[in-house]
Amino acid sequence: MAAKPGIPKGTRDFSPVEMAKRNYIFNTIRDVYHLYGFQQIETPSMEMLSTLMGKYGEEGDKLLFKIQNSGDYFSGITDEELLSRNAAKLASKFCEKGLRYDLTVPFARYVVMHRDEITFPFKRYQIQPVWRADRPQKGRYREFYQCDADVVGSDSLLNEVELMQIVDTVFTCFGIRVCIKINNRKILTGIAEIIGEADKIVDITVAIDKLDKIGLDNVNKELAEKGISEEAIAKLQPIILLSGTNAEKLATLKTVLSDSETGLKGVEESEFILNTLQTMGLKNEIELDLTLARGLNYYTGAIFEVKALDVQIGSITGGGRYDNLTGVFGMAGVSGVGISFGADRIFDVLNQLELYPKEAVNGTQLLFINFGEKEAAFSMGILSKARAAGIRAEIFPDAAKMKKQMSYANVKNIPFVAIVGENEMNEGKAMLKNMESGEQQLVTAEELIGALTK
């Protein structure tokens, strides 16, 4: 007996109904991006490892899926190296390429490679899958889609404001209540300076970014393990646990960070973004959250994260400002800011809250019952007219029993069935049945189209 096939952990198959739901998500996000003037690009699933490595921090590098070289990948490797069993060192010799970890680094590579063809500021979006060798769990997959929008070639904070408006618009369209969390890496740098641990900024941000996942005690334990002094950890507590309104938090930070020029710059940027958004009438809450650190090393200014309020799940959108990303590819001085919607988590949230519109999930609108060759030929004429009018329609391919064909319509949630027998053909009409109400009426092709396009 053949072994039952399977798929890798952290990946999923999607049924036709699930694909209809996913396309609803992608199309909604795509439509909002277009409203704000963003244009679509695509980049390869594979990138050179030299492009990917060193851009996500040490933890990110460990999660890169590496692609084994084709051909004789043992050539050039000594027996001593093989016997050393040094996985990282061997991987660097076996693998030149890797699956992309996100869409931002490939985008930075794209900008550098196509700089002569691009008009700046460049507003692009990408909707493509990414891969991470993470431990699979609820809401966290090894293969998942990101829906990114970035603006490069502009330092203006109006870009941050517009990206937050996009976030608000998208989740309002979905009917998902969210909290948009905002912080600034300059504020975090300022905090590290005033507690006397400026050189440990990466360790501090990686640790406090885990606050909502592992709790304060474990964050403090991780900080201590990274060599941060007890005195510095004590100074950090009231800052990362700061509460109150956004305005109150900003006022406190101005005092706390008065000796840090970098920190005050971060406060100023955050104040502009929050004050401007206050006049825009956002539908969702926006909160200054000092525990938000976004572990990725390339963020240099504003950072964002979005949490669903009615479902227990991780971040469903994130992003931020990066000033130095294209510099590593030989193109300095290009600032950018971007967001990324986690389509797979949004899919799960919409499922749990049952927020998909009926019309987004339903596929075929009309099924023609097949009674035989003559009836099918007659039905095909009406079917062609229905499709030309934009109605999603099909005919059952075989002259099977009526019960089987009606069961097919029920399983596929097809709302209307057209029945064409000898009597209907003699009148040049079809019997249109509403599958929900059971109501039937004899109609011409034009009347059928009118009934389904109301």
Side-chain angles (χ1 to χ4, degrees):
M1 183 177 170
K4 189 177 177 182
I7 58 175
K9 283 184 179 179
T11 65
R12 296 178 288 175
D13 288 323
F14 293 100
S15 69
V17 170
E18 288 169 326
M19 280 310 303
K21 291 178 176 181
R22 286 167 69 79
N23 285 330
Y24 164 68
I25 293 169
F26 297 144
N27 292 338
T28 300
I29 294 170
R30 186 181 288 111
D31 289 346
V32 175
Y33 282 161
H34 286 162
L35 281 177
Y36 286 79
F38 287 78
Q39 296 176 295
Q40 187 171 17
I41 67 164
E42 286 198 352
T43 58
S45 300
M46 294 181 291
E47 293 278 352
M48 302 305 292
L49 278 177
S50 56
T51 297
L52 301 174
M53 295 291 285
K55 312 303 188 301
Y56 306 106
E58 192 179 334
E59 290 189 10
D61 281 352
K62 290 175 185 173
L63 301 181
L64 286 171
F65 274 112
K66 299 172 180 67
I67 298 171
Q68 184 175 287
N69 294 340
S70 54
D72 182 9
Y73 50 83
F74 282 111
S75 63
I77 298 176
T78 65
D79 289 348
E80 187 182 350
E81 285 172 325
L82 281 171
L83 292 170
S84 73
R85 303 176 70 87
N86 185 324
K89 193 173 181 182
L90 286 171
S92 69
K93 303 225 172 186
F94 285 166
C95 311
E96 294 174 349
K97 299 175 286 293
L99 293 176
R100 59 170 173 249
Y101 178 92
D102 72 352
L103 298 177
T104 307
V105 169
F107 171 53
R109 189 265 313 148
Y110 175 95
V111 170
V112 173
M113 285 185 67
H114 298 271
R115 67 180 92 183
D116 295 333
E117 307 153 32
I118 291 172
T119 301
F120 293 99
F122 182 41
K123 301 173 79 170
R124 87 79 171 86
Y125 76 89
Q126 266 175 277
I127 298 177
Q128 289 185 272
V130 300
W131 294 267
R132 296 182 186 178
D134 217 340
R135 185 172 64 85
Q137 54 186 289
K138 184 181 178 182
R140 189 183 291 274
Y141 306 99
R142 286 176 170 170
E143 179 186 59
F144 56 97
Y145 267 76
Q146 288 185 337
C147 307
D148 281 20
D150 287 80
V151 186
V152 295
S154 170
D155 296 320
S156 172
L157 292 172
L158 287 178
N159 296 313
E160 277 86 339
V161 170
E162 285 210 331
L163 288 172
M164 293 304 93
Q165 286 180 280
I166 286 173
V167 168
D168 184 64
T169 304
V170 165
F171 287 110
T172 300
C173 289
F174 287 143
I176 299 173
R177 293 193 318 120
V178 298
C179 177
I180 303 167
K181 293 177 178 287
I182 180 172
N183 197 8
N184 196 297
R185 287 300 289 257
K186 293 184 180 79
I187 291 176
L188 294 168
T189 299
I191 290 169
E193 286 176 6
I194 62 137
I195 66 169
E197 297 282 2
D199 59 329
K200 296 284 180 66
I201 177 63
V202 172
D203 291 332
I204 292 169
T205 55
V206 167
I208 68 173
D209 195 40
K210 299 174 184 174
L211 184 68
D212 61 339
K213 301 180 190 78
I214 65 175
L216 184 61
D217 289 345
N218 285 321
V219 167
N220 290 337
K221 184 180 174 185
E222 185 171 322
L223 289 168
E225 287 170 355
K226 295 291 185 180
I228 293 160
S229 70
E230 281 186 33
E231 184 186 356
I233 293 171
K235 285 181 181 176
L236 195 57
Q237 303 309 292
I239 300 169
I240 62 174
L241 296 175
L242 190 63
S243 60
T245 65
N246 292 333
E248 288 168 347
K249 289 175 185 175
L250 288 167
T252 302
L253 284 171
K254 284 177 185 176
T255 303
V256 171
L257 299 175
S258 59
D259 293 333
S260 170
E261 187 181 341
T262 302
L264 288 177
K265 180 65 176 171
V267 174
E268 181 189 326
E269 291 177 3
S270 301
E271 192 167 37
F272 175 85
I273 295 165
L274 290 166
N275 288 349
T276 308
L277 286 169
Q278 205 167 10
T279 67
M280 299 294 173
L282 296 190
K283 302 289 192 298
N284 291 283
E285 175 190 357
I286 185 157
E287 175 195 346
L288 179 65
D289 182 356
L290 298 184
T291 68
L292 174 61
R294 301 291 296 165
L296 303 182
N297 287 344
Y298 53 67
Y299 291 123
T300 55
I303 45 180
F304 323 109
E305 204 158 87
V306 179
K307 300 280 188 181
L309 295 178
D310 300 315
V311 171
Q312 281 291 104
I313 199 165
S315 164
I316 54 178
T317 299
R321 165 72 64 172
Y322 46 89
D323 287 335
N324 311 319
L325 196 60
T326 55
V328 300
F329 298 123
M331 187 177 175
V334 179
S335 183
V337 59
I339 53 170
S340 179
F341 289 95
D344 295 82
R345 287 187 176 182
I346 292 170
F347 176 88
D348 289 344
V349 171
L350 288 170
N351 268 340
Q352 286 185 55
L353 300 178
E354 297 182 348
L355 289 174
Y356 288 101
K358 199 173 180 181
E359 61 272 16
V361 178
N362 287 349
T364 302
Q365 296 168 274
L366 173 66
L367 173 71
F368 282 83
I369 298 297
N370 187 341
F371 287 118
E373 209 171 298
K374 288 181 185 176
E375 292 87 347
F378 181 89
S379 296
M380 289 294 283
I382 306 175
L383 178 63
S384 295
K385 290 179 182 177
R387 285 174 176 158
I391 294 166
R392 301 184 301 277
E394 60 181 292
I395 186 169
F396 199 84
D398 306 303
K401 288 182 179 178
M402 178 81 158
K403 184 179 178 183
K404 181 177 179 180
Q405 297 189 52
M406 295 299 276
S407 174
Y408 176 85
N410 279 323
V411 169
K412 288 190 72 177
N413 289 316
I414 300 173
F416 289 94
V417 164
I419 300 165
V420 177
E422 194 172 331
N423 294 337
E424 287 79 16
M425 281 173 36
N426 289 337
E427 294 196 43
K429 295 182 178 181
M431 185 67 72
L432 183 65
K433 179 172 183 175
N434 183 316
M435 294 294 282
E436 192 172 336
S437 67
E439 182 185 339
Q440 296 186 167
Q441 54 179 325
L442 196 62
V443 293
T444 63
E446 290 70 25
E447 287 169 340
L448 180 148
I449 289 166
L452 268 78
T453 54
K454 278 180 184 176

